[in-house]
Amino acid sequence: MIGAMFDQLFLGGLVTLVSLVFATALWWGFNEVLERTENWLRRPRHAWKYFAIMVMVVIVTMTMMSFGVWSWAIIFHQLVVFPTLEEAVYYSLVAYTTLGLGDVVVPHEQRLLGGMTGANGFLMFGLMTAMLTDTLRHIRRVQHQLRD
């Protein structure tokens, strides 16, 4: 019983760590792109450039979230927690977004993994909010030629 609990916590911590490292690497790459576009961002016609950057931010954040959801879904499917991959993806998405509808639940034996899924999503949404805010601030400062 205790061993299974630590196994779940270890696995959940590992999936969360991989998810956060992937998100950090993806965001680092996006920031590299942003730095290379600073001269372009400074030139007039800011509105459509702002829109283009925002679309890129949405794509990056959706990629981060999708990676996290799919990572958990694959773990649940490999552990045969759910009978189908679709059900594993559905549960992972609902738990990751901390929606918790309750129509699909993990068996009692794996309930710690369900909680870890929600915690991972909660951390990721906080990280994505910080990244989005930082990007908006950076773009505005570059366009108004202010220093960071």
Side-chain angles (χ1 to χ4, degrees):
M1 184 75 164
I2 297 290
M5 176 182 77
F6 286 117
D7 289 347
Q8 288 180 60
L9 291 173
F10 177 77
L11 180 59
L14 187 63
V15 174
T16 299
L17 179 65
V18 168
S19 175
L20 292 171
V21 167
F22 174 81
T24 302
L26 190 59
W27 198 256
W28 175 80
F30 179 71
N31 276 318
E32 289 295 312
V33 170
L34 269 183
E35 281 186 31
R36 291 191 174 121
T37 62
E38 278 192 13
N39 290 332
W40 174 74
L41 284 171
R42 290 183 202 281
R43 290 187 226 129
R45 300 194 192 260
H46 297 307
W48 78 269
K49 292 176 185 178
Y50 188 76
F51 178 76
I53 296 294
M54 290 310 299
V55 167
M56 288 193 293
V57 168
V58 167
I59 290 169
V60 168
T61 55
M62 290 301 293
T63 302
M64 289 176 188
M65 192 176 105
S66 296
F67 180 82
V69 168
W70 276 98
S71 297
W72 281 103
I74 290 168
I75 293 295
F76 285 129
H77 189 65
Q78 290 297 313
L79 294 174
V80 195
V81 174
F82 298 107
T84 65
L85 181 59
E86 185 274 335
E87 195 171 356
V89 171
Y90 174 77
Y91 174 81
S92 297
L93 181 61
V94 169
Y96 196 84
T97 58
T98 65
L99 219 54
L101 297 175
D103 56 337
V104 175
V105 295
V106 293
H108 185 77
E109 301 81 38
Q110 282 98 12
R111 66 183 175 182
L112 288 176
L113 287 177
M116 294 292 289
T117 306
N120 186 181
F122 186 74
L123 287 170
M124 190 61 74
F125 277 103
L127 183 64
M128 288 186 298
T129 301
M131 292 172 174
L132 180 61
T133 303
D134 184 58
T135 299
L136 296 175
R137 183 192 60 77
H138 178 75
I139 291 169
R140 285 295 183 201
R141 293 186 70 77
V142 166
Q143 288 181 338
H144 295 288
Q145 300 190 8
L146 302 171
R147 292 188 178 167
D148 275 334

